[in-house]
Amino acid sequence: KAPKAEGEEGKKEEKGGKKNRAALKTPKGTRDYDAFQMSVRERVFDTIKACFKRHGAITIETPVFELKETLTGKYGEDSKLIYDLQDQGGELCSLRYDLTVPFARYVAMNRIKKIKRYQIGRVYRRDNPVMTKGRFREFYQCDFDIAGEYDLMIPDSEAIKLMTEILDSLDIGKYQIKINHRKLLDGFFAICGVPEEKFRAISSAVDKLDKSPWAEVRKEMVEVKGLEPAVADRIETYVQLKGSPMELLEKIRQEKLLESSALAMSALNEMDTLFSYLQCYECLDKILFDFSLARGLDYYTGLIYEAVLLGEEGVGVGSISAGGRYDGLVGIFGGAVPAVGFSVGVERIFSILEQRLEKEKDKIQVAETEVMVISPDKDVLKERMTLCNTLWKAGIKTEMLPKEKAQFKAQLDYALLNNIPLAVIFGKTELEQGTYQLKDFKNKDQVTVLKEQLVEEIEKRLPRFTTLA
Amino acid sequence: KAPKAEGEEGKKEEKGGKKNRAALKTPKGTRDYDAFQMSVRERVFDTIKACFKRHGAITIETPVFELKETLTGKYGEDSKLIYDLQDQGGELCSLRYDLTVPFARYVAMNRIKKIKRYQIGRVYRRDNPVMTKGRFREFYQCDFDIAGEYDLMIPDSEAIKLMTEILDSLDIGKYQIKINHRKLLDGFFAICGVPEEKFRAISSAVDKLDKSPWAEVRKEMVEVKGLEPAVADRIETYVQLKGSPMELLEKIRQEKLLESSALAMSALNEMDTLFSYLQCYECLDKILFDFSLARGLDYYTGLIYEAVLLGEEGVGVGSISAGGRYDGLVGIFGGAVPAVGFSVGVERIFSILEQRLEKEKDKIQVAETEVMVISPDKDVLKERMTLCNTLWKAGIKTEMLPKEKAQFKAQLDYALLNNIPLAVIFGKTELEQGTYQLKDFKNKDQVTVLKEQLVEEIEKRLPRFTTLA
């Protein structure tokens, strides 16, 4: 389970007395995955990949670390969380903080004009880990992005539609996608009287509203970021605006809340277009138009969105996916290519599914072994080996106990414990007769089969995947 | 192709004139994978995983970095190649150098007594990269290990058998597995008169014999490692011993080459047992018993082996997989659990297959899109979106051009360029009639289908995977 790495710290102390023993833990904020956790993880990845592929995305991979300068200046206040590699001579490098900046570097480097790609990989943040909530320093992100010159809000609406498809197929409960627009934020900041050079700083303060009360955020604006109190108070009225897309759009237009900012009005029109597309995609009901959504990252330039899991009373219990438009990022590396995308933070999803599957844990066959080779006789090791070899050659997943003289019961127990469906059993008698006993643990029957028919008889009893032309 | 990252260095210089532009390259010794390379990689991983699973292995995952002390003192002279993370406060960490030491830490930390696991992940070495030969600083390893108290040479022989299964199924040409035994090495070192404290240093000199001539290795032994010249000369006669397993075993016994070392004689008996098991597994013909194989890593304690690809004239052109027994490694972390395993270095395999598949590149459908939604009319964007939505809901991989007014030819070209097998085409007429044109690019036919039958008609034309009970 998630808190394993932390739990291990306790173990380490408990063993502190023993000498010459390396610390028995993973680094802070990291974890191991055992076989059961890996099977949950694979299930999640397979589901997400299927959604990505349904939208025609290809995949790429980039290194786990990038040149330090590639990451510099892309993440705003979060830059302090970047892991640097030690300078051991040569280039200065940092572990990737997300998959978006490396993707932008990749697009620019390969002079790509259009690409729809997904990428699944680990990213690194020197944040304060909360293992129980699935917040780690090393964690997986599953990213989808569309880069290229396309028409207004068409790729954006596909990204959001895909986000809903993923969250729906993972079946992790109710969620809501908060949506806002950077130009809308900048527009109402201007209306409120925020000086332009403070837009990003104030935006990153607004971003904290999902975790902190207004009073605290206001304090940061005024005391840390030097905003006039009256301006902060005007911002308050705007960040409270939220509601179902069409209704809020209507209200803002009727009450002329943004008329004085051409920037905000153009963003509002973009939102209108987006909402109509999301209606075609039958996912507008998942959207909350929310003026308080700001997103911390520097690189967003347009639409921003964040999916939040809803708890018992419909209150947000945490972000599980987020994204937006970043039209300037590729250009920093050369060749302006607009882009939009999102990232699914799968660690929290792993935690949820792990807990749900915990009960079935014993029944899940983690190894996929199909046949256990067993003999009650103690001097037939080479015959067991030869039989394994025959079955491996036939593509059958086979195991035997790696003991010279294995106990009959130990062999049977191994098969039962590991939910192996079939066993091939033989002793001296069978060897003389050229036969085997084929035991089916599920149907609880056992038949004698001829040596030559063994593979065929096993295959009859195994579920197989076949391609239908 | 492999040398991409290096090629990009040139690009960078060429663009050096432009200001404020981040360096357009990946760090030295790392590379990106494009969609085609990813498809080759997936093919390789799927093949290898299938082999691992056929032997009943489960999988685990460990963090990309470990506590520095976890890696310290495990790799002998290679330790200098370990990447350290910068000390930014907190624990000192290093990128993993291989998957074996983290696996040993995992086994000890979770107090595991028996495990057969595979692991696929990237490892990091500050080595001199040779991108054209598939030698990187960040590269994938595919590891298989059996930990637990089992009988002599049974897990070892399964590991070697599995290694041959993997190399056979990857179909990358002829190869040979060199085998030796650390105790055999130590035994003849003792016979030659090497002082015991110099065993590992001399062993690591012997390890260089596959790349350097004897004269150079002898020089290192005498001048760098302070071995007496006469002792070095005696070693020479031993390291020349190599041949087919049974024959060399026979020769050594007849000529009584190791009689004076009980250690070497017991290792020889182990080899005898191993060879008889490999005969059951029908892979003894792949083995070369080679006294000059030493393996650089500190942690091996028994059998060691290395698979070498054979070039045109049967000469080794490079190691692609290696492993051995390491009975003391888990014990360093607590709880002595003997273990054996190997690692497949897949980068060279990727290179070989990439070159082979390069010719077919254009014909390979990298994205898996099944249907392209197309209209010759310019004002039906929402109708195209609605149709995409219908097909996505039915699980059909669908794309459309993300343009408000898409050119008919541009849409068709996109489908052809990306090898998309089907297109659904509609204009005003079809919308009025409630029909679609279904175009099959492969069969070069086009039929009119009713709206309600579209999904069914598409599915008829697509190859699908189905489970047979």
Side-chain angles (χ1 to χ4, degrees), chain B residues 208-388:
Chain B
K208 290 165 189 157
L209 275 174
D210 58 338
K211 282 169 202 139
S212 317
W214 168 252
E216 219 167 281
V217 170
R218 185 184 182 280
K219 204 175 157 195
E220 181 183 330
M221 287 178 175
V222 176
E223 291 177 19
V224 183
K225 295 183 169 158
L227 199 66
E228 278 177 47
V231 174
D233 293 338
R234 280 196 289 273
I235 291 177
E236 190 187 3
T237 62
Y238 280 98
V239 294
Q240 283 170 348
L241 294 170
K242 61 188 69 174
S244 80
M246 295 307 196
E247 283 167 31
L248 187 57
L249 211 59
E250 186 59 26
K251 174 186 160 85
I252 295 162
R253 281 178 174 155
Q254 277 192 349
E255 299 180 14
K256 299 189 197 301
L257 295 173
L258 296 168
E259 301 284 295
S260 57
S261 162
L263 189 68
M265 287 308 287
S266 90
L268 210 62
N269 287 335
E270 290 191 17
M271 295 303 258
D272 201 351
T273 304
L274 172 75
F275 296 152
S276 72
Y277 294 165
L278 292 182
Q279 238 159 1
C280 295
Y281 287 154
E282 294 183 298
C283 61
L284 192 59
D285 56 316
K286 307 278 169 56
I287 308 296
L288 179 80
F289 188 7
D290 184 346
F291 273 52
S292 75
L293 179 77
R295 309 278 311 130
L297 299 175
D298 265 7
Y299 50 65
Y300 291 122
T301 53
L303 192 70
I304 44 179
Y305 37 90
E306 181 174 306
V308 176
L309 268 190
L310 299 179
E312 294 293 308
E313 292 109 37
V315 211
V317 290
S319 159
I320 37 167
S321 181
R325 174 160 287 279
Y326 49 100
D327 285 348
L329 189 56
V330 177
I332 295 177
F333 299 100
V337 183
V340 67
F342 67 91
S343 180
V344 185
V346 282
E347 305 296 339
R348 191 183 292 259
I349 295 167
F350 294 155
S351 297
I352 295 169
L353 295 182
E354 223 178 295
Q355 279 164 32
R356 194 185 295 170
L357 290 169
E358 186 68 33
K359 281 162 264 169
E360 310 169 35
K361 202 171 167 175
D362 294 340
K363 275 171 269 165
I364 292 173
Q365 195 198 0
V366 183
E368 296 173 14
T369 310
E370 295 162 330
V371 172
M372 181 79 188
V373 165
I374 293 178
S375 176
D377 293 338
K378 296 272 162 65
D379 50 354
V380 290
L381 171 63
K382 287 189 184 169
E383 286 78 4
R384 284 191 285 137
M385 285 182 158
T386 305
L387 178 53
C388 282

Side-chain angles (χ1 to χ4, degrees), chain A residues 25 32 91 105 151 404, chain B residues 25 32 91 105 151 404:
Chain A
K25 65 185 287 294
D32 295 320
E91 305 154 328
R105 191 264 308 145
D151 287 330
E404 242 184 288
Chain B
K25 66 185 287 294
D32 294 321
E91 304 155 329
R105 190 264 308 145
D151 287 329
E404 240 183 290

Side-chain angles (χ1 to χ4, degrees), chain A residues 130-143:
Chain A
V130 188
M131 317 293 270
T132 44
K133 284 192 178 171
R135 200 158 91 207
F136 298 90
R137 289 180 156 195
E138 174 186 55
F139 57 97
Y140 272 94
Q141 284 198 330
C142 302
D143 276 31

